[in-house]
């Protein structure tokens, strides 16, 4: 019974201390001073024993008390009392040692002074005893702090910690490990590192093993009861591109967290320097984080130099790409922005976003269709933009297969209207956003975008020739609108993309619908795609079709499996529904007859494509628009195929037209 009472008493005392936010600093100063006082008395006793000590007890007490008070000088200089004792680190222990060295110097100095003045019987404490006293005091002060920390950790260890491995060791992993071990209360128990560094594999680092990335992590996770893997911020790209280890960890039920720095970190010799208090946050990964890709670096300073103080018009401003272009352009402080979209509610959201995030940027938000020529002429004549970013388009393949006339009116005719207005009202540059579906198109949407590419390229060529002739006649440089096209694939998280669809289907318990087990797609982050659009658009000289390096293709079936595994959902099946009308198994960014040329950016290349005569293209488009107004789908698509001979329908009713044209040849 008495033992139980003692344990309850100890629990109450430790609980009282560990539940307090901090111990008052005067308590720490007093404890350290008492330790110095005790050390002085103890060292004198060791040197002279009890009888001598009894005869000089007053001198011993006075000098010991004086040295205890002098110890406060060193404590004040190094602020040994300012830390929280239960969180003491090596830095705190070193501060104690430095403080006691200062106090020892003062104590020896005072001993010499008192000896000269003959104030006390100085045989009470000799210099050797003083040095020994401060050494003992330092050891005891260290011991006191370590005992408090150990008691705290023992108390804290009763709470369950997540067992983790860290991906990356010398490349930011040690910094991440220090960060999680310093967390109070501790949430993670470090069980090992996964490192690509051959020199430290199978060694021990910070008391835990360093594993080879090729090891059997399914067995390791099971044996060590690993619950999560933390990815070093300097190894994110390597982890993204290591599909094997991702699948193993996800299959073993491990959670994956990516470390993100709250601000720019100082990296030296491949390791993070966390001394400048740059925090580190852990974010649980989504499937978007795990798609294989490399970080894209863009020369935004040159983009900013061109857009700052300019008038910028953006069509399709309420769409996924358009909205991100709005945000990025607004950050460069243009003189004014004109945002056009026909989707009322999303456009209203963009208006609110501009008002809250960029209140200093003058902005006009217009709800209208780009195919309304009279309205567009009024907008351009009033606004007179320097730069036009044309992102407006109907993009859903199945919808446009059923509505080819709308694809023509919005995508083709709308682009022609915006391009013509840009020329008429002196825009410096027109940047059109195209798609990989425009390459060897198999559907109406892709073909409509290819016709847009053809038109703006032919228009740029016409303007260049006219400017050259004028300059040759007058000898003066002639300004004209430059037309640039950017072509890329799917962007992560865009409206209507597969990832939000899969996420919703998983939430409902499935099934997750994939059109074909073999289907693959390229993916890119929306902000990265838009940065490349801005750089290509502002640096292009006109007439180019810029093709973006989309990285590695991703099997959609694998994407679905990974999303199901990451969600932790059970018994969610994948259902293959068959290719939709006009859908390809894989997308291309180049026609098989096209080559590319390098550019100012390793991720951007210029497609070398066939050139078209403007007058011929213009007549074909006018005829196509006239046909589309009759809403005869077969006639509309037939004309589209005549303009773009490489357009071959796939899994579509329009395959009959391909057979008809083949027979005619």
């Amino acid at each position: 019974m008495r033992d139980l009472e003692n344990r309850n008493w100890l629990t109450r005392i430790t609980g009282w201390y560990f539940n307090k936010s901090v111990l008052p600093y005067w308590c720490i100063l007093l404890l350290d001073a008492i330790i110095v006082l005790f050390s002085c008395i103890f060292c004198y006793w060791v040197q002279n024993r009890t009888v001598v000590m009894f005869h000089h007890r007053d001198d011993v007490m006075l000098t010991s008390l004086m040295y205890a008070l002098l110890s406060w000088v060193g404590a004040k200089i190094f602020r040994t009392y300012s830390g929280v004792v239960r969180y003491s680190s090596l830095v705190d222990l070193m501060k104690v040692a430095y403080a006691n060295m200062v106090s020892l110097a003062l104590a020896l100095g005072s001993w010499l002074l008192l000896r000269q003045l003959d104030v006390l019987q100085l045989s009470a404490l000799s210099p050797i005893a003083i040095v020994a006293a401060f050494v003992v005091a330092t050891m005891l002060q260290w011991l006191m702090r370590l005992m408090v920390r150990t008691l705290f950790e023992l108390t804290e260890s009763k709470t369950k910690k997540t067992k983790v491995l860290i991906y990356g060791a010398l490349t930011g992993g040690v910094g991440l490990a220090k960060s999680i071990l310093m967390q109070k209360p501790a949430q993670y128990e470090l069980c090992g590192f996964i490192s690509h560094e051959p020199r430290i594999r199978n060694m021990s680092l910070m008391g835990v093993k360093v594993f080879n990335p090729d090891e059997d992590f399914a067995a390791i996770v099971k044996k060590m009861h690993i619950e999560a893997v933390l990815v070093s911020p300097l190894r994110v790209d390597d982890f993204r591109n290591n599909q094997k280890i991702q699948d193993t960890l996800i299959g073993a039920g491990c959670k994956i967290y990516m470390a993100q720095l709250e601000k720019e970190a100082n990296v030296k010799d491949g390791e993070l320097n966390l001394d400048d208090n740059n925090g580190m946050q852990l974010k649980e990964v989504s499937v978007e984080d795990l798609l294989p890709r490399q970080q894209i670096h863009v020369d935004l300073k040159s983009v900013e130099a061109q857009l700052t103080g300019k008038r910028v018009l953006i069509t399709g401003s309420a769409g996924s790409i358009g909205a991100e272009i709005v945000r990025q352009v607004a950050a460069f402080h243009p003189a004014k922005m004109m945002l056009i979209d026909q989707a009322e509610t999303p456009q209203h959201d963009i208006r609110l976003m501009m008002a809250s995030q960029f209140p200093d940027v003058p902005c006009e938000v217009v709800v209208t269709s780009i195919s309304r020529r009279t309205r567009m002429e009024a907008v351009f004549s009033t606004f007179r933009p320097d730069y036009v970013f044309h992102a407006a388009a109907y993009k859903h393949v199945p919808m446009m297969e059923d509505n080819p006339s709308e694809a023509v009116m919005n995508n083709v005719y709308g682009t022609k209207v915006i391009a013509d207005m840009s020329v008429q009202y002196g825009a410096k540059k027109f940047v059109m956003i195209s798609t990989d579906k425009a390459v060897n198109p198999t559907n109406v949407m892709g073909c409509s975008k290819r016709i847009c590419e053809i038109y703006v390229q032919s228009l740029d060529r016409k303007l260049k020739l006219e400017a050259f002739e004028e300059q040759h006649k007058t000898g003066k440089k002639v300004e004209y609108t430059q037309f640039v096209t950017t072509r890329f694939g799917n962007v992560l998280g865009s409206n209507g993309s597969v990832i939000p669809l899969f996420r919703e289907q998983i939430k409902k318990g499935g099934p997750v619908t994939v059109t074909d087990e073999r289907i693959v797609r390229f993916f890119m982050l929306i902000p990265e795609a838009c940065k490349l659009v801005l750089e290509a658009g502002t640096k292009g000289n006109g007439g180019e079709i810029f093709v973006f390096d989309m990285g590695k293709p991703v099997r959609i079936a694998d994407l679905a499996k990974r999303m199901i595994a990451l969600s932790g959902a059970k018994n969610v099946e994948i259902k293959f529904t068959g290719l939709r009308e006009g859908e390809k198994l894989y997308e291309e960014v180049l026609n098989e007859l096209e080559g590319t040329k390098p550019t100012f950016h390793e991720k951007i290349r210029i497609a070398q494509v066939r050139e078209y005569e403007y007058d011929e293209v213009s007549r074909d488009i006018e005829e196509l628009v006239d046909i589309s107004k009759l809403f005869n789908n077969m006639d509309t698509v037939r004309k589209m195929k005549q303009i773009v001979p490489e357009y071959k329908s796939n899994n579509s009713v329009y395959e009959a037209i391909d057979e008809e044209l083949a027979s005619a040849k």
Side-chain angles (χ1 to χ4, degrees):
M1 186 70 179
R2 184 177 295 276
D3 289 342
L4 180 61
E5 288 177 357
N6 289 338
R7 282 200 298 272
N8 289 340
W9 175 81
L10 181 61
T11 302
R12 285 196 298 271
I13 293 295
T14 56
W16 168 81
Y17 171 66
F18 293 131
N19 286 328
K20 288 178 71 65
S21 57
V22 288
L23 196 66
Y25 74 86
W26 60 265
C27 291
I28 300 172
L29 275 174
L30 184 61
L31 283 171
D32 285 343
I34 291 171
I35 288 172
V36 173
L37 180 66
F38 168 79
S39 300
C40 290
I41 296 171
F42 173 75
C43 288
Y44 181 83
W45 176 80
V46 169
Q47 189 179 34
N48 300 290
R49 299 304 175 185
T50 306
V51 175
V52 178
M53 180 176 173
F54 179 78
H55 287 297
H56 298 282
R57 61 182 180 276
D58 293 338
D59 291 332
V60 171
M61 288 300 297
L62 282 171
T63 53
S64 297
L65 183 60
M66 179 182 68
Y67 297 146
L69 293 173
L70 284 174
S71 70
W72 284 357
V73 177
K76 177 67 176 176
I77 294 172
F78 290 95
R79 297 180 61 82
T80 58
Y81 53 84
S82 63
V84 181
V85 177
R86 60 177 178 260
Y87 297 150
S88 295
S89 64
L90 179 61
V91 174
D92 297 308
L93 299 183
M94 293 308 297
K95 284 182 177 180
V96 170
Y98 296 148
N100 282 341
M101 288 171 65
V102 170
S103 300
L104 173 60
L106 292 173
L108 291 173
S110 66
W111 184 89
L112 288 171
L113 178 63
L114 293 174
R115 184 175 185 180
Q116 292 291 329
L117 298 175
D118 197 23
V119 174
L120 296 171
Q121 294 289 328
L122 294 175
S123 58
L125 275 170
S126 67
I128 294 175
I130 294 171
V131 172
F134 275 97
V135 171
V136 171
T138 301
M139 297 297 182
L140 290 176
Q141 288 170 355
W142 282 0
L143 182 62
M144 182 265 289
R145 284 163 170 78
L146 291 175
M147 284 181 63
V148 171
R149 175 169 176 163
T150 302
L151 280 171
F152 175 66
E153 288 177 349
L154 287 173
T155 305
E156 190 186 47
S157 65
K158 295 177 183 177
T159 60
K160 190 176 182 300
K161 299 176 188 173
T162 302
K163 292 188 173 184
V164 300
L165 298 174
I166 289 180
Y167 187 89
L170 300 184
T171 46
V174 172
L176 174 57
K178 290 177 181 176
S179 178
I180 64 169
L181 292 175
M182 288 169 60
Q183 284 183 340
K184 303 300 175 185
Q187 300 179 46
Y188 302 101
E189 179 184 342
L190 179 61
C191 298
F193 291 92
I194 305 169
S195 178
H196 291 260
E197 298 283 345
R199 56 196 168 117
I200 62 167
R201 286 179 186 172
N202 299 316
M203 294 177 64
S204 180
L205 186 64
M206 296 182 70
V208 295
K209 185 178 177 181
V210 180
F211 295 100
N212 186 319
D214 298 325
E215 293 193 45
D216 182 5
F217 279 98
I220 292 170
V221 166
K222 185 177 180 181
K223 180 182 177 182
M224 300 181 70
H225 306 289
I226 302 299
E227 299 170 80
V229 171
L230 314 182
V231 181
S232 157
L234 303 185
R235 277 292 185 188
V236 169
D237 284 344
D238 291 321
F239 188 77
R240 280 194 183 119
N241 292 295
N242 193 334
Q243 299 285 303
K244 180 182 175 183
I245 197 169
Q246 287 179 29
D247 292 337
T248 301
L249 294 172
I250 293 170
C254 263
K255 290 187 177 295
I256 299 171
Y257 295 88
M258 285 191 177
Q260 298 177 328
L261 297 171
E262 292 178 357
K263 61 180 181 179
E264 195 86 15
N266 179 18
V267 181
K268 186 177 181 181
D269 297 327
E271 187 49 70
L272 290 174
N273 178 9
L274 297 176
D275 293 339
D276 56 355
N277 294 321
N278 54 304
M280 195 180 287
Q281 293 182 334
L282 294 173
K283 172 184 174 289
E284 186 170 359
V285 297
S286 61
V287 71
E288 294 95 328
D289 298 318
L290 297 181
L291 291 176
R293 65 177 190 275
Q294 292 183 337
Q295 188 176 2
I296 295 174
H297 300 282
V298 175
D299 180 14
L300 290 178
K301 287 189 176 179
S302 65
V303 177
E304 181 177 12
Q306 294 216 36
L307 296 181
T308 300
K310 300 297 193 297
R311 302 168 73 84
V312 181
L313 184 146
I314 300 170
T315 70
S317 56
S320 307
I321 295 292
E324 182 61 26
I325 290 176
V326 169
R327 279 186 282 270
Q328 292 190 16
V329 169
F332 297 137
H333 307 289
K336 192 173 183 180
M337 296 178 70
M338 171 71 75
L339 312 180
I340 299 173
D341 203 295
Q342 63 180 342
E344 180 202 11
T345 300
Q347 186 75 326
H348 177 65
D349 293 338
I350 292 296
R351 183 177 189 170
L352 295 177
M353 183 273 292
M354 288 296 297
S356 62
Q357 296 182 25
F358 305 100
D360 298 332
V361 177
C363 176
E364 189 172 344
V365 180
V366 175
V367 177
T368 189
S369 169
I370 57 172
S371 60
R372 294 181 61 190
R373 190 177 189 92
T374 305
R375 181 74 174 102
M376 289 300 99
E377 186 158 12
V379 167
F380 272 81
S381 64
T382 305
F383 187 68
R384 295 185 179 269
D386 299 302
Y387 285 84
V388 176
F389 290 93
H390 178 45
Y394 286 145
K395 65 178 184 178
H396 292 289
V397 170
M399 292 292 288
M400 294 305 99
E401 284 297 288
D402 295 336
N403 301 276
S405 295
E406 294 302 325
V408 169
M409 290 305 298
N410 189 77
N411 293 3
V412 179
Y413 182 66
T415 296
K416 185 178 185 301
V417 168
I418 299 298
D420 292 346
M421 292 299 113
S422 298
V423 175
Q424 185 175 338
Y425 292 98
K428 180 179 179 181
K429 193 162 288 186
F430 176 103
V431 183
M432 190 187 83
I433 293 162
S434 188
T435 170
D436 54 2
K437 293 176 176 63
V439 184
N440 293 324
T442 59
N443 52 66
V444 168
M445 194 283 284
C447 182
S448 70
K449 295 298 286 183
R450 178 60 190 137
I451 295 171
C452 294
E453 290 181 356
I454 292 170
Y455 181 74
V456 298
Q457 264 201 310
S458 65
L459 179 55
D460 184 89
R461 185 166 178 264
K462 169 180 175 283
L463 294 173
K464 270 183 181 168
L465 289 172
E466 290 176 351
F468 177 78
E469 291 174 0
E470 183 69 21
Q471 187 171 331
H472 183 70
K473 288 179 184 177
T474 63
K476 296 179 181 179
K477 186 178 179 180
V478 178
E479 298 290 339
Y480 63 93
T481 305
Q482 296 176 340
F483 287 85
V484 173
T485 299
T486 59
R487 186 194 283 172
F488 54 92
N490 300 279
V491 287
L492 294 171
S494 64
N495 297 329
S497 67
V498 293
I499 291 178
L501 174 64
F502 286 173
R503 193 170 282 130
E504 190 64 28
Q505 289 175 335
I506 292 169
K507 191 184 295 183
K508 292 178 179 177
V512 174
T513 56
V514 178
T515 55
D516 192 287
E517 191 174 7
R518 300 163 294 167
I519 197 165
V520 296
R521 290 290 182 265
F522 293 97
F523 287 97
M524 181 179 280
L525 287 175
I526 292 176
E528 290 178 350
C530 291
K531 285 176 183 176
L532 290 174
V533 167
L534 292 177
E535 183 168 16
T538 53
K539 287 187 176 179
N541 297 314
E544 306 100 333
I545 292 181
F546 288 109
V547 178
F548 296 169
D549 178 358
M550 298 292 293
K552 298 177 182 177
V554 176
R555 287 181 72 242
I556 301 300
D558 292 343
L559 180 67
K561 290 174 187 175
R562 186 165 296 179
M563 288 188 69
I564 293 169
L566 279 174
S567 72
K570 305 295 182 185
N571 303 319
V572 175
E573 67 169 332
I574 296 175
K575 182 179 179 182
F576 296 103
T577 58
L579 288 175
R580 299 174 297 178
E581 287 190 5
E583 191 171 38
K584 294 181 183 180
L585 282 175
Y586 62 94
E587 303 290 0
E588 309 146 278
V589 290
L590 287 174
N591 184 299
E592 60 185 16
L593 300 178
E594 295 173 359
T596 62
K597 296 186 295 184
T599 68
F600 41 82
H601 195 290
E602 61 179 0
K603 293 285 184 180
I604 305 174
R605 297 186 70 83
I606 298 174
Q608 294 178 291
V609 298
R610 170 190 165 188
E611 293 185 339
Y612 291 78
E613 290 295 330
Y614 173 77
D615 291 338
E616 181 184 345
V617 171
S618 188
R619 282 195 302 270
D620 280 337
I621 288 178
E622 286 177 8
E623 186 179 340
L624 175 62
V625 171
D626 289 339
I627 293 171
S628 71
K629 290 177 180 177
L630 301 176
F631 299 101
N632 185 312
N633 291 350
M634 298 301 280
D635 288 347
T636 301
V637 174
R638 185 178 290 106
K639 182 60 183 177
M640 294 176 77
K641 289 177 180 289
Q642 290 173 4
I643 299 172
V644 184
E646 66 268 27
Y647 168 27
K648 306 295 181 186
S649 296
N650 185 34
N651 192 34
S652 171
V653 294
Y654 306 124
E655 289 178 81
I657 302 174
D658 294 327
E659 295 173 5
E660 171 192 315
L661 293 174
S663 299
K665 286 182 180 179

